[in-house]
Amino acid sequence: MKYVSIKKFFPVAAVAVALLTTQASAATYTVNFNGSAFPVPQLNFVNAGGSGLNLNVTASDYANTNGTPTGGAFNLGQYTGGIGICSGTATTSGDGCSSDSHYVDGYNGDEMAFFNFGAGNDVSLTSIGFYVPSFATDPEFDFALYLGADAPLWVSQVDVGSNSGGFKTYNLSTPRTGSLFGIGASGTDDYFKVSSITFDYDVSAVPVPAAGFLLFGALGGLAAMRRRRKSV
């Protein structure tokens, strides 16, 4: 009687174990918001920054005590410099907004843009890009950062340096994790556009259930071979 060596099953089992022990790896993605589009109720970015995630952006004013949206929704536009908020009347000429600056600002109430990756799609926000106009009068540029319903957190008046206008990047000393973020003006003298966001997202290269089935199949084959050898 010819025996089949169980060593033939070892490579399969080894691969299955390796797949099961594969850890999720974090990759870094950046979404750039520079563009040219008149204000609309929401902006949608498919495969945001190449992450495979869809990003929905809306805007409103917000409560400066806890960061939650208040009042009705505002329109958002994409401009040279990034996303701005129109809390006035959206138009189809000029910058697309009347009775209000097309920046994120606190002039007519504190405005905030909300970036939503969808429930369960937690990312770690690591940096935010801004465009600051040269006419902004605040000697230091501040903004409000709100981490939404997944894990409420309020960060107020974060200094990003001297306000001389142009593009600026704020790197978070501690990445903020969640699926919903709010970026808003923290005072009447703050004006900016959100030019980009950078985040880390954990991606598992191999689905664990598939690896599990492979492992169980390999172990089952080993058990069958052992029974076969005993019965001969």
Side-chain angles (χ1 to χ4, degrees):
M1 186 73 179
K2 182 179 180 180
Y3 294 107
V4 178
S5 173
I6 62 173
K7 292 182 179 180
K8 292 183 178 181
F9 288 90
F10 286 171
V12 178
V15 170
V17 171
L19 293 178
L20 280 175
T21 56
T22 298
Q23 299 296 319
S25 58
T28 300
Y29 305 94
T30 298
V31 187
N32 292 304
F33 298 120
N34 291 335
S36 178
F38 288 129
V40 291
Q42 62 181 5
L43 295 168
N44 297 296
F45 300 89
V46 178
N47 190 25
S51 65
L53 298 175
N54 295 329
L55 174 62
N56 174 261
V57 187
T58 57
S60 174
D61 55 3
Y62 70 96
N64 57 19
T65 55
N66 57 22
T68 57
T70 60
F74 294 151
N75 290 303
L76 306 100
Q78 279 185 275
Y79 306 94
T80 300
I83 291 176
I85 295 175
C86 175
S87 57
T89 302
T91 68
T92 56
S93 63
D95 61 24
C97 186
S98 66
S99 305
D100 180 64
S101 167
H102 61 290
Y103 290 84
V104 182
D105 62 70
Y107 184 71
N108 291 319
D110 296 325
E111 298 172 347
M112 178 171 281
F114 296 93
F115 299 80
N116 192 347
F117 288 93
N121 296 323
D122 285 358
V123 304
S124 293
L125 186 68
T126 57
S127 69
I128 305 169
F130 296 95
Y131 176 78
V132 184
S134 58
F135 64 77
T137 58
D138 193 343
E140 291 186 332
F141 169 55
D142 304 319
F143 71 96
L145 174 63
Y146 171 64
L147 179 60
D150 292 336
L153 175 68
W154 178 243
V155 181
S156 180
Q157 295 192 0
V158 181
D159 181 16
V160 294
S162 175
N163 187 7
S164 58
F167 288 95
K168 300 177 181 296
T169 300
Y170 176 75
N171 297 309
L172 281 72
S173 58
T174 301
R176 304 301 187 184
T177 301
S179 63
L180 172 64
F181 301 93
I183 301 172
S186 64
T188 57
D189 294 329
D190 293 317
Y191 294 81
F192 60 82
K193 296 171 186 174
V194 182
S195 62
S196 66
I197 59 172
T198 299
F199 58 90
D200 293 337
Y201 178 56
D202 288 338
V203 180
S204 179
V206 179
V208 172
F213 291 139
L214 183 58
L215 175 60
F216 293 146
L219 293 179
L222 288 174
M225 288 303 302
R226 291 184 64 183
R227 289 195 298 270
R228 182 178 176 184
R229 294 184 65 178
K230 289 181 179 180
S231 63
V232 175

